Structure formats: structure tokens, C-alpha cells
Amino acid sequence: MQLDSKIPSGPIEQKWDRARFEMKLVNPANKRKYSIIMVGSGLAGASGAASLGELGYNVKCFCFQDSPRRAHSIAAQGGINAAKNYQNDGDSIYRLFYDTVKGGDFRAREANVYRLAQISVSIIDQCVAQGVPFAREYGGLLSNRSFGGAQVSRTFYARGQTGQQLLLGAYQALMRQVDTGQVKMYPRTEMLDVIVIDGRARGIVTRNLATGQIEVHMADAVCLATGGYGNVFFLSTNAKGSNATAVWRAYKRGAAFGNPSFTQIHPTCIPVSGDYQSKLTLMSESLRNDGRIWVPKKTGDSRTPDQIPEDERDYYLERKYPSFGNLVPRDVASRNAKQVCDQGRGVGPGGLGVYLDFRDSINRLGEQAISERYGNLFEMYERITDENPYKVPMRIYPAIHYTMGGLWVDYQLQSTIPGLFVLGEANFSDHGANRLGASALMQGLSDGYFVIPYTIGNYLASNKFDKVDESHAEARGAVENVTSITRRLLSIKGKRTVDSFHRELGKMMWDFCGMGRNAKGLEQAIGKIRELREQYWQNVLVPGGADDLNQSLERAGRVADFFELGELMCIDALHRNESCGGHFREEYQTPEGEALRNDNEFAYAAAWEYQGQNQAPKLNKEPLEFEYVHPTQRSYK
Amino acid sequence: MNLTLHIWRQKNASSPGKMVRYEVKDVNPEMSVLEMLDVLNEELTLKGEDPVTFEHDCREGICGCCGFMINGVAHGPQAATTTCQLTMRHFKDGDELFLEPWRAKAFPIVKDLMVDRSALDRIIAAGGYVSAPTGSPQDANAILIAKENADLAMDAAACIGCGACVAACPNAAAALFTGAKISHLGLLPQGQPERVERALNMVAQLTVEGFGSCTNIGECEAVCPKQIHIEVISRMNADFRAASRKSRKEPYQDPSEFRRWSFGLKS
Ligand SMILES: Cc1cc2nc3c(=O)[nH]c(=O)nc-3n(C[C@H](O)[C@H](O)[C@H](O)COP(=O)(O)OP(=O)(O)OC[C@H]3O[C@@H](n4cnc5c(N)ncnc54)[C@H](O)[C@@H]3O)c2cc1C
Ligand code: FES
């Protein structure tokens, strides 16, 4: 496979302008002759579908929830970055670009990141025009905060519900298009395969989740904006329904998978409380602005926090990283929490937790000020744990949160299957090996509002499209593929539930492909995952049938894909003999225990190519060049 | 703790439903209600019975997927809490819980505890937006908004569209939901140009969908997990009255058939 990243030539500041000028346009009168499928209605999908509808294309939009407004993007709390420099604190497009490339530990494509930083400015304008109620100052101007390891205040937010408000803005724009008939919406519909005809994506196969009906939808181009795959770990901060099926089935049809093992582990989540636990709850990272993270100095200290005197506490982030302190990037904060817990200094049940303590800020600013900033988060914490964080320090622990990996795309967001575009968290593009806080929302909206409308036009204008319909052999083949998977899952009638398998897979992934990875563990994991997958196909118990609403069946298909993806993640993690960002290979660390990159051998994006069931995938490399931000060892000291 | 559950079981919209009794043992008080149902569903699956269908996704109180009646109260006994965030600490050993789906004409039952709330999407489609096509609008800070108004707009915009307000209302009205969107946009300068039409069209859609009329009972506000204030309904009524006086348009045309088409409900 030939990877062509299609990065435009010229100085980085001019690349996107140049690309936009060079791209072909579809004549306004011809747009209605083209049909586009958008799978997903999160920030990327809703903003993309709405914008394409506004342009006059015929769009079909799909989501598995009962309403597009419920996509997982709704849960984002903290905020969205933009290089507006409203605070006059030294921010600029170049600085946001620089921070993102460095934060991604030099494993992202510079040109993409620069474009993202440029577009960030328009996103805020667009969202405000739609009526997104961002936080404001008394004078009526927009308010900003610093977030996730940034030294400037460039994060825009709407209380602790930024994702919700941005998504509702995009959803409302989408509903406006639905009402004009420009976009047709298919909620409660799951895409289960891509139809590739003559090497180009021409449609999808879906299952109506309410009726079980399998349908074919043909189009001139297909976009996937189906979100991340953190749920391969079973426990994560993602919504329960988030899954990899769309991207995985596209992978099996020829779309290369970029850096599958790059996973983000978020440092501030509520620790696990029992085996019944179904998901993990994130406590916004903004809490690190005023909370101090510590553990007891002594191992196995079982005293309550108020009985541990100041000089017996280890504020380990402040100690090790004096200039960033509690605000070090997520990967660094998470890894350090794991280290202190591995040393036996963790707190709470099972010793898997560290304190996030607001005592000092409450003393400094008063309870009132803290409650204004974090009131809703404190309430949420108390609702879940029954502990009052104004009085007792919060307990937090890292959890799987985001996947930087995803389908490989070029600068135009096109995968290695022509006509298949990938947007938002589902693609691999902009965050390298670690994503900075408040930049996923930015990327989703950038892809949807401002990139895909141009690049898809270029694709449509550059190609001829024969009429194809569902009677085409490839379409029938895809339907057969989908129905045979369903039939097989229902026919096994084994002894173990889907969830019990998923939990076991998740635990393996967490133990071997989580915060710390090593060659031996990964090799072991690959073998164990294969074994468990075999058992799955012999012993899973999926009740009910295919012809009506069957939540167990939905999960069974997704878990089947998680098994295969989990294996690929381990293969990717094993091949990358270096540490970078969230990918921490224990064999490769500096004497101080920081990630040790190997730029000579690994300054590339790994794009894995499917070779058939039970065949080893093929590795393709997209070399990464850093013309502007020169790779250095990241230092937050 | 051990509990007795009575759960509404209904195969699909066209078959009749009934309450079915289940015993659940060793419930951990830290679990959420949904996690308790997960455990029950694992047991039912292993016994070869059909697990209980309920809607859920984020499980952190923001997506608006979850929700059913717990002992007659939408989202259960804890104020300002969605079903997914309600822990079993609020119940005690030996309690009996009656779990039923939202009941309203506009929300047909899909299966067990799951209902079809697409009527709420169609209300938004009728006018719950600002027409601001993607492009190059003015700089975000060129629009000044008093903090007070921005905060009030945000209070209203916090609605998660779960439908508890409809389920709790003896008239099955969707006034709190609709009022919340009308208030959110009406409190902001960006929402002014379309304010008249928005009120007329959204209110008209309420009737088309078969929601009842609001008679100021206030049950909606009491169960709202996001504590949307009932004053959003007075804002909606004020906008609607003002709009009815001002509008020079033809009376609202019922686009419901078309809306059903573009929602994929009809081919
Ligand atoms: C708790 C939490 C807090 C976060 N906070 C922040 C934050 O403060 N700032 C920030 O920048 N980022 C944050 N993130 C990350 C960010 O929210 C996500 O990365 C982003 O919203 C992903 O958007 P998306 O549009 O790519 O996908 P999603 O929002 O996940 O949407 C996926 C869509 O695809 C659909 N879909 C998926 N598969 C299929 C299929 N097979 N068939 C049909 N439809 C399908 C779904 O129905 C859904 O509509 C947070 C994430 C979490 C979990
Ligand atoms: S599951 Fe999302 S609000 Fe309850």
C-alpha cells in the first residue's frame, strides 16, 4: 500500500490556503446530484452533516442512539481550545500548533496540526453565532481558562458542560437541515459494513436497531465520524455504547489503521469501587488548577487524610515537576499516579487512588469561590462516592479516556479507501501519541465544519460516479457478511455472557496494554486474547433473535470486533520499541522514569493493513518530518 | 441488601405489556440503579430469559438516554439526579421497586422500559435553532452578552432532553422541554431575529406530536434532573403570545408528514 499524506507544499502558514485554492469545486447547481453518507452525529458528524447539507449535498446521517443529540461528545466537560489570544497572555496560532505537536510527543503530522490551530479561531466564532452559551465575564466578553497543561488561557467553556453545549449547537444546525430535507436522519441505526465498489467506498450496510432490519444505503462518498474505541478496555470514561465496529469493519475492507495502540489515560477519574462497575466517571481536569495531588510518604499508611501531617505528605507532581506542578500533561500525571500506587502508597480501597486536595485553595480563596468554579463537579463526586470534597480530599485514579489512534487519513481526511473519509476521534490524525486537554472538541468541529466541506467537494469533483444500487454484487456480499456474523453469534448459544467476555478482555488490555507496557507482557497478551476470542466464538451466549430490538446482540457484535482490535493494539504497542506520549514501554525510559523516544527508528505513523482473518497485518510507515517544531525530550520540570 | 423489583415487560409497541416480579440479592449500595439492572440482566441471560431492555449510554447524567419511573417518580427519589446516577444507597433492604417506562401518547413504547422520544427532535427541528450556516461569522467577542443573561441562557440550555418532564406531567405536556430551548435562544442576541417564528413553530409542533397542554402544575420542574426552572414556561408563553400578535405569516402548516420522512420514519 502506498501512503500519500497529500501534504500541500509551501510554508506551513500557507498550506491550508493553498490546498483550498487548489481543490476542485462542485458547481452549486450540481451539488444536489451528489449523495453523501455521514455515519455519526457527535461533534464531528453533526457539524459535518449540517455543513454539507447547507452546501446543498444530499446527506444521510446515522447514529445508534435514539437521537443525534445523545452522541458521546455530549459528555465532554472541560472546554475547547482556540488561539484567540483574548487574554493577551501570549497565545497565537503558532503557539497552539507548537504546544499540540510537543504535547503529542512528536508523533503527529505538523501540517494537520497547524491547520487545526488556524481553524480553532473560526470554530469559536461559528459556535457563538449559533447561540452556544459560553461562559462570560461581567463586561460581556468571553471567559477563558487555562486547561490541561497549557501555560496560556485559551480554553473556552460552558460550565462543566462544554461538550453538551457544542453538540447541541451542531445538533440544532443538523436538525435545521433535517427539516429542510437536505439531511435525512437515521437514529437507532448501526452501520455494520462499508460497501467498496471498484476500489471506492460507495455505501454502507446498516441494521435498524429497533426492528432488526438490514438495509443498504448507497452514496457517492462515505464519512465515518464514529468516535473512539476506548471501550476495548471495558472500563473507560466513554459512554457505554461507544465502540469500534464502524472503523474496524472499514479496516477489514482496506482502510489502514493508524497507531492503534495510542491511548490516552486520563489522570482524574473516580476510582473503581466494585466488580459490578460498568464505567468510570471522569472528574474534569480543570480541578487540577486548584487541587493538589498527593499520597502519604510512607507505604501502607492507613490513616485518614486529615491525620496525615503536612511533612508526611508527598505532593509528588509539585516535587518532580516544579514548573508545571499539578498541571503536567495527562500522560505524565497518569504514569506518576500509577508509580506511587505501585510503590504501595496509593489510598482508598485496594490502594488504587491518590488524593486531589482542595484544602489549601479553600483556605486561600474561600469555599464560595471554589464552589463557583467546581460546584457541579463536587456535587457529582459526592453523588457517586458519598464523600464531601469540601471536607475530605477527592480520591482519583487514571482511567482510559481517549484514543489517539484511529483510521489513517491523509491531509484531506481521506482513508486509504478512496471515497471513505474519517472525522473526529475516529481518525488518527492530529494528536500524535498524546492529546492535550480541550483539543478533541476542537478537532471534531474543525473536521466537520471546516475541513470536510472542502475536501469532499474536491473528491466528488475529481471523479466520475457510475450509478450503483443495492443489487450490485459488492453490496450483496456486504449484506451477506453482516447477516452471517449475526447468525453465527446467535447460533453459538454457549454458557458465558457477552459482558463477562468483554470484562475479561478489558482487564487483559489494561494489564498489558495500559499505562505501562513491555514486550513480554504484550506477547503474552496477544496469545491470551486469541485464546479468549476462540472461546468467545464457541461459548458466548446471546439471547433473543435478529428480528427485533436486541441489546445483547448489539453488544456481541461490538465485542467481537474489540477482540480483533485489541490484538492489533498489542501488536502495534509491541512493534514500537520506544516510549512516546501515552505509549509507555517500560524498557524505554530515561533514568528519571520519563518516556524515551527513539526518533531515529520510530518517527513515523504506523498504518496497519488488514491481510485477512488470522493473517498477520502488514505494517506501512508514514515518515513524520518536523520542519518547524524540533523534536526534543519533552520536559515539564 | 435484597430487593423485589416489579418491571414493565413489553415485547414491542404492538404487543401488550405487564409487570413482572424479580428478586435481586446482595445489591451493593454503591451500585447505580442501572448497574443493578445489569446484574439482573446477566442472571436472566444465563437462565435463558430475555434481559430487560432500557436505554442508557453516558451513565453520567448528561446524554439524556436513561430514565424510567421508579415507584411512580421519573428518575426516582433523589432530586436533580438521572436514573444512571441514582445509587442504591437511597434504598434499603427489603424495598420493593416498581420500574415503568415513561408514559405519554407522544412517546410510544419501543420495548420494556424504552420509549420513542423522537417527537422531541421534531420539536427542535421545527425551530429550536439559530440559522447560522457554517461560514465566517463575526468575531465571537463582537457580540457582547451580559453575564447574567449568558448564565440564564446556560441554565435553560442545560436540558438533556430525557423526557422526564413529559412523563411526570399529568397532561403529558412538553412545555418544560420546549420552554427551555425557547428561553436559551430567546435570552441571547443571536436568537432574536427568529424569535417570533421559533415560538410559533415549536409550539405548533407540540400539538402535532400529541403532547398535552401545560396547566402550570409544576411536576416537570420537580423531577427535572437538570433543575430547569419552570419560569422557562412563562418565557415560552410570553414569546408565543407576542408572536401570535406580531406574525404576519400564514397560519402554521403542518409539516409532520415531511418531518417523519426526513427522520427516516417513513420511506
Ligand atoms: C467524559 C469525557 C470528557 C471529555 N472532555 C473533553 C473536553 O473537555 N475537551 C475535549 O476537547 N475533549 C473532551 N473529551 C473527548 C471528546 O469528547 C471526544 O473525543 C469527542 O467528543 C469525540 O467526538 P466525535 O464526534 O469524534 O465522536 P462521538 O461524539 O463519540 O460520536 C460518535 C457518533 O458515531 C455514532 N456511531 C458510532 N458507531 C456507529 C455505527 N457503527 N453506526 C452508526 N453510528 C455510529 C454514534 O451514534 C455517535 O453519534 C472528553 C471525553 C470524555 C469521555
Ligand atoms: S445514561 Fe446518559 S443521562 Fe443517564
Side-chain angles (χ1 to χ4, degrees), chain B residues 34 55-67 75 82-85 160:
Chain B
L34 300 189
E55 197 120 47
H56 66 102
D57 200 20
C58 74
R59 297 206 175 187
E60 47 189 67
I62 191 75
C63 72
C65 279
C66 71
H75 289 304
T82 53
T83 305
C84 59
Q85 289 211 301
I160 58 174

Side-chain angles (χ1 to χ4, degrees), chain A residues 80-82 84 116 118-130 134 166 441-447 449-450:
Chain A
I80 175 165
N81 286 332
K84 282 283 197 187
L116 178 64
Q118 277 175 311
I119 289 176
S120 70
V121 175
S122 313
I123 294 174
I124 302 302
D125 298 343
Q126 180 62 34
C127 295
V128 167
Q130 292 169 342
F134 284 121
L166 295 173
L441 302 183
M442 169 171 75
Q443 184 223 331
L445 290 180
S446 165
D447 289 358
Y449 283 132
F450 296 110

Side-chain angles (χ1 to χ4, degrees), chain A residues 86 171 179 188 383 497, chain B residues 42 55 85 121 139 259:
Chain A
Y86 281 159
Y171 154 79
D179 211 39
R188 272 201 223 289
R383 210 176 295 135
T497 63
Chain B
E42 290 286 282
E55 197 120 47
Q85 289 211 301
D121 288 324
D139 185 83
R259 237 162 235 154

Side-chain angles (χ1 to χ4, degrees), chain A residues 324-336:
Chain A
F324 278 70
N326 293 299
L327 294 176
V328 290
R330 294 179 175 171
D331 54 335
V332 179
S334 293
R335 209 141 52 226
N336 277 280

